[in-house]
Amino acid sequence: MAYKCSRCKRDVELDQYGGVRCPYCGHRVLLKERARDVKEVDVQ
């Protein structure tokens, strides 16, 4: 799953063992990338 480091803005892939840390700068706040497709909601 793709994440982005909030400090250095580099793309980070998390491993399956729960390593929640940027391998480039060591920061622990990662932002989840949003999907680029637009969803429509039916309002009634």
Side-chain angles (χ1 to χ4, degrees), residues 10-44:
R10 295 177 88 174
D11 292 329
V12 176
E13 284 289 328
L14 295 183
D15 59 1
Q16 64 184 1
Y17 302 109
V20 184
R21 188 176 292 257
C22 177
Y24 306 106
C25 70
H27 197 60
R28 294 186 61 176
V29 178
L30 302 177
L31 307 171
K32 187 173 182 181
E33 291 289 306
R34 292 180 175 246
R36 297 194 183 269
D37 56 336
V38 178
K39 297 179 181 179
E40 294 184 21
V41 177
D42 185 28
V43 179
Q44 295 184 8

